[in-house]
């Protein structure tokens, strides 16, 4: 339990006194579908990465692509039992296409593997609820890491609400399915039970629509995303907006889309990205060129590559996570027009309303799990085709033939509810984060503040919308590792993976994302002492007091620390 000695350090006059930030508790607390988990001390993150049972045995939930939710595990274990394939591991996916791609991924790395499929269909009695599909990939236990890697990298997952819906459908497991080792021989077991979802804590105030409203919720989500990306020419048409179960799923499908329309060429990863974006480009298709600094020298390297070979697409973040760099999109667009490749921009950190990347990107992707939702209790992603793209027609034609709506109904309901206030929240966080970063930048114990206002500012402001800000994410670097540890351990806020939450959330980013490759990350300026912070709604005064407190603990706990 967080028990601050200083009432001024707790928002709302002691509001956090009762919030559980103990090891491995869900973030937010008491939330059955929380998408973060508390790792309150630096050593907790180290022990998690090293598989120490002190942490791993307590871990019941976490970020869903990395930590399989207990409800999802229960569903997978039930499938293994009913199929009789003891000694096998199971991962379930929301469509046969995704399951087949998982099998392709496994077989590319283990050619002798013989994964098996079992497919289930549920047809609810309530016709307003669309039928749902669960396709299970079953593999011997030794291949579990490969199936898990596909789940993590692609984000083509089933969510905890999806799993609970299937578990509640008693008829789903009345008999074991026939199991096949061939793609085309899967036999579906259908049920007609109309299952009602459990009553969640999030429902308690009656703010959620029933599941039968999911179609309209998705329409509202697409309209909301489109409206946030409007430019001087007006609104983006909602027909250009596509929803996905996670942000990584949107990135993965942007890569599928590029391969589908342009052919089997390498991509370019421009700048140091969030880890799984690079993994997608490296492990799916013919690979990629990694230009990790994302600055002018990499533009020169990019031109030399383009003179030698065609490329499929350039993927970048604007700004990047965790260094908050903004690449020179204008120059990238010029090269794309000259050489014919796609420009795919992940603008998650921009919060949809701060930036206008569709001026230069063919495709914009975003994780709606983050500030668009804010409540850290639901996953989602979006992919938007720019109306200005020269490849608009062929992009939309491919999506018309290949797009699958795999966002689970209940997730859409929660995401629609959460996102109603996202523009107001983004604007509030913009101002508070900027004030906090200004304060931290002047502090002698802080080596560097990575924030768009201080990092490649000219590139960022070229695509910044009027009367907006720099977003709520920043990273701190310290002069010594022990300074970073003391700061992190004493920071009185939620600490765990994810970002874009309505509450301030911190993590030792490099440990969680690159623990097995720390030296490699350091080569690109992502140091082991990096602390990434996502600013919430606590307010400027509280934030500065809280961070001042953590900085003062460096001086108190480390004898040679000096101002």
């Amino acid at each position: 339990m967080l028990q601050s000695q200083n009432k001024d350090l707790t928002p709302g006059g002691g509001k956090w006194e009762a919030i559980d930030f103990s090891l491995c508790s869900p973030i937010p607390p008491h939330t059955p579908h929380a998408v973060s988990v508390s790792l309150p001390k630096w050593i907790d993150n180290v022990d998690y990465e090293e598989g120490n049972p002190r942490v791993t045995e307590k871990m019941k939930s976490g970020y869903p692509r990395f930590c399989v939710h207990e409800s999802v595990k229960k569903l997978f274990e039930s499938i293994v039992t009913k199929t009789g394939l003891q000694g096998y591991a199971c991962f379930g996916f929301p469509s046969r296409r995704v399951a087949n791609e998982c099998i392709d991924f496994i077989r590319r790395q283990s050619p002798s593997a013989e994964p098996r499929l079992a497919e289930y269909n549920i047809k609810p009695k309530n016709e307003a609820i669309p039928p749902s599909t669960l396709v299970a990939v079953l593999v011997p236990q030794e291949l579990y890491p490969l199936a898990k890697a596909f789940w993590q990298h692609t984000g083509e997952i089933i969510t905890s609400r999806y799993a609970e819906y299937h578990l509640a459908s008693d008829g789903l497991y009345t008999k074991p399915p026939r199991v096949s080792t061939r793609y085309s021989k899967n036999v579906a077991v259908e049920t007609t039970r109309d299952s009602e979802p459990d009553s969640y804590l999030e429902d308690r105030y009656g703010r959620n629509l029933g599941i039968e409203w999911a179609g309209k919720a998705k329409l509202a989500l697409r309209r909301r995303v489109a409206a946030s990306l409007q430019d001087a020419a007006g609104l983006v048409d909602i027909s250009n907006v596509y929803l996905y179960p996670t942000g990584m799923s949107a990135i993965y499908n942007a890569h599928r889309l590029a391969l589908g329309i342009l052919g089997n060429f390498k991509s370019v990863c421009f700048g140091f990205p969030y880890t799984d974006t690079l993994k997608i480009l490296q492990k799916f298709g013919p690979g990629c060129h990694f230009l990790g600094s994302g600055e002018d020298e990499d533009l020169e390297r990019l031109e030399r590559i383009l003179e030698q070979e065609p490329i499929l697409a350039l993927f970048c973040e604007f700004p990047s996570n965790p260094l908050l760099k903004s690449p020179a999109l204008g120059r990238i667009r010029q090269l794309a027009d000259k050489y014919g490749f796609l420009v795919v921009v992940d603008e998650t950190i921009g919060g949809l309303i701060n930036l206008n990347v569709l001026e230069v990107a063919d495709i914009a992707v975003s994780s709606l799990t983050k500030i668009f939702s804010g409540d850290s209790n639901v996953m989602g992603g979006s992919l938007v085709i720019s109306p200005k793209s020269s490849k608009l027609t062929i992009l939309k034609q491919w999506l018309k033939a290949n797009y699958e709506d795999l966002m689970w109904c209940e997730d859409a309901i929660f995401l629609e509810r959460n996102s109603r206030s996202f523009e107001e929240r983004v604007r509030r966080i913009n101002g508070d984060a900027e004030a906090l970063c200004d304060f931290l930048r002047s502090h002698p114990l802080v080596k560097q503040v990575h924030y768009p206002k201080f990092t490649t500012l000219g590139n960022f402001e070229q695509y910044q919308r009027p009367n907006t800000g720099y977003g709520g994410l920043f990273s701190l670097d310290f002069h010594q590792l022990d300074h970073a540890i003391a700061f992190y351990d004493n920071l009185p806020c939620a600490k765990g993976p994810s970002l874009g939450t309505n509450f301030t959330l911190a993590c030792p980013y490099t440990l969680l994302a690159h623990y097995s490759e720390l030296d490699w990350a350091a080569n690109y300026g992502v140091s082991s002492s990096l602390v990434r912070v996502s600013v919430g709604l606590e307010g400027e005064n509280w934030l500065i007091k809280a961070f001042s407190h953590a900085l003062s603990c460096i001086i108190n706990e480390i004898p040679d620390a000096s101002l």
Side-chain angles (χ1 to χ4, degrees), residues 198-515:
D198 290 340
S199 177
Y200 307 122
L201 182 65
E202 297 101 322
D203 275 326
R204 60 192 282 181
Y205 299 112
R207 291 181 292 167
N208 289 332
L209 299 171
I211 191 173
E212 67 273 12
W213 289 86
K216 291 186 178 180
K218 290 181 181 181
L219 182 61
L221 289 169
R222 293 170 63 212
R223 285 175 173 161
R224 201 162 289 157
V225 170
S228 69
L229 292 172
Q230 65 181 319
D231 59 18
L235 298 179
V236 173
D237 193 285
I238 66 166
S239 68
N240 289 20
V241 180
Y242 302 83
L243 299 177
Y244 291 88
T246 67
M248 286 313 304
S249 172
I251 295 170
Y252 174 70
N253 280 283
H255 188 235
R256 286 183 64 236
L257 169 55
L259 288 168
I261 68 168
L262 293 180
N264 205 37
F265 303 111
K266 287 185 176 180
S267 292
V268 167
C269 183
F270 194 82
F272 195 92
Y274 177 72
T275 178
D276 283 310
T277 297
L278 181 57
K279 295 294 190 291
I280 286 172
L281 303 183
Q282 290 174 332
K283 294 185 178 184
F284 298 87
C288 79
H289 301 281
F290 178 48
L291 306 181
S293 79
E295 297 185 7
D296 289 346
E297 62 268 26
D298 275 347
L299 283 172
E300 296 172 4
R301 291 177 61 196
L302 174 60
E303 288 196 71
R304 291 195 293 270
I305 291 170
L306 290 166
E307 289 169 356
Q308 299 297 319
E309 63 179 278
I311 69 167
L312 178 71
L314 182 145
F315 286 73
C316 67
E317 298 172 348
F318 195 93
S320 66
N321 174 18
L323 295 181
L324 287 304
K325 289 183 179 181
S326 302
L329 289 182
R331 179 62 181 142
I332 290 171
R333 180 71 262 166
Q334 291 173 357
L335 291 171
D337 290 340
K338 180 177 179 180
Y339 291 98
F341 61 85
L342 288 169
V343 178
V344 182
V345 177
D346 181 349
E347 66 81 66
T348 297
I349 310 305
L352 289 173
I353 69 169
N354 285 328
L355 298 164
N356 184 14
V357 299
L358 291 182
E359 288 286 338
V360 286
D362 295 287
I363 299 171
V365 293
S366 189
S367 173
L368 303 182
T369 309
K370 309 304 191 296
I371 193 59
F372 186 80
S373 168
D375 279 346
S376 190
N377 65 358
V378 66
M379 303 284 281
S382 65
L383 181 155
V384 182
I385 306 298
S386 171
K388 299 181 179 181
S389 173
S390 63
K391 298 180 175 63
L392 173 65
T393 300
I394 190 172
L395 288 168
K396 293 186 72 171
Q397 285 176 343
W398 189 92
L399 284 163
K400 183 177 181 180
N402 295 279
Y403 172 70
E404 294 179 291
D405 177 6
L406 300 181
M407 178 179 282
W408 175 239
C409 300
E410 292 169 280
D411 293 324
I413 294 291
F414 276 84
L415 188 57
E416 189 282 323
R417 183 203 73 181
N418 294 352
S419 61
R420 293 172 192 172
S421 62
F422 96 93
E423 290 197 21
E424 177 187 352
R425 289 183 280 109
V426 169
R427 294 184 190 281
R428 285 179 57 188
I429 288 171
N430 281 343
D432 292 344
E434 183 177 0
L436 177 60
C437 287
D438 287 342
F439 163 74
L440 292 169
R441 196 177 187 222
S442 67
H443 199 287
L445 287 176
V446 176
K447 180 180 179 181
Q448 188 172 3
V449 179
H450 301 277
Y451 187 58
K453 184 178 180 180
F454 315 131
T455 309
T456 55
L457 175 61
N459 291 345
F460 183 92
E461 290 188 330
Q462 189 173 355
Y463 300 98
Q464 186 178 18
R465 296 182 188 278
N467 304 313
T468 58
Y470 302 101
L473 191 75
F474 67 91
S475 295
L476 293 178
D477 211 347
F478 292 86
H479 297 285
Q480 298 175 200
L481 179 60
D482 57 352
H483 290 191
I485 295 171
F487 172 83
Y488 179 83
D489 286 355
N490 289 283
L491 189 60
C493 70
K495 285 173 276 188
S498 198
L499 58 90
T501 47
N502 292 337
F503 46 87
T504 297
L505 182 65
C507 74
Y509 177 85
T510 317
L511 294 190
L512 289 178
H514 301 288
Y515 192 75

Side-chain angles (χ1 to χ4, degrees), residues 2 4-11 16 492 542 545-547 549:
L2 178 65
S4 172
Q5 299 300 310
N6 184 345
K7 284 282 186 179
D8 291 335
L9 286 178
T10 57
W16 276 1
W542 181 87
K545 289 178 180 178
F547 280 73
H549 167 76

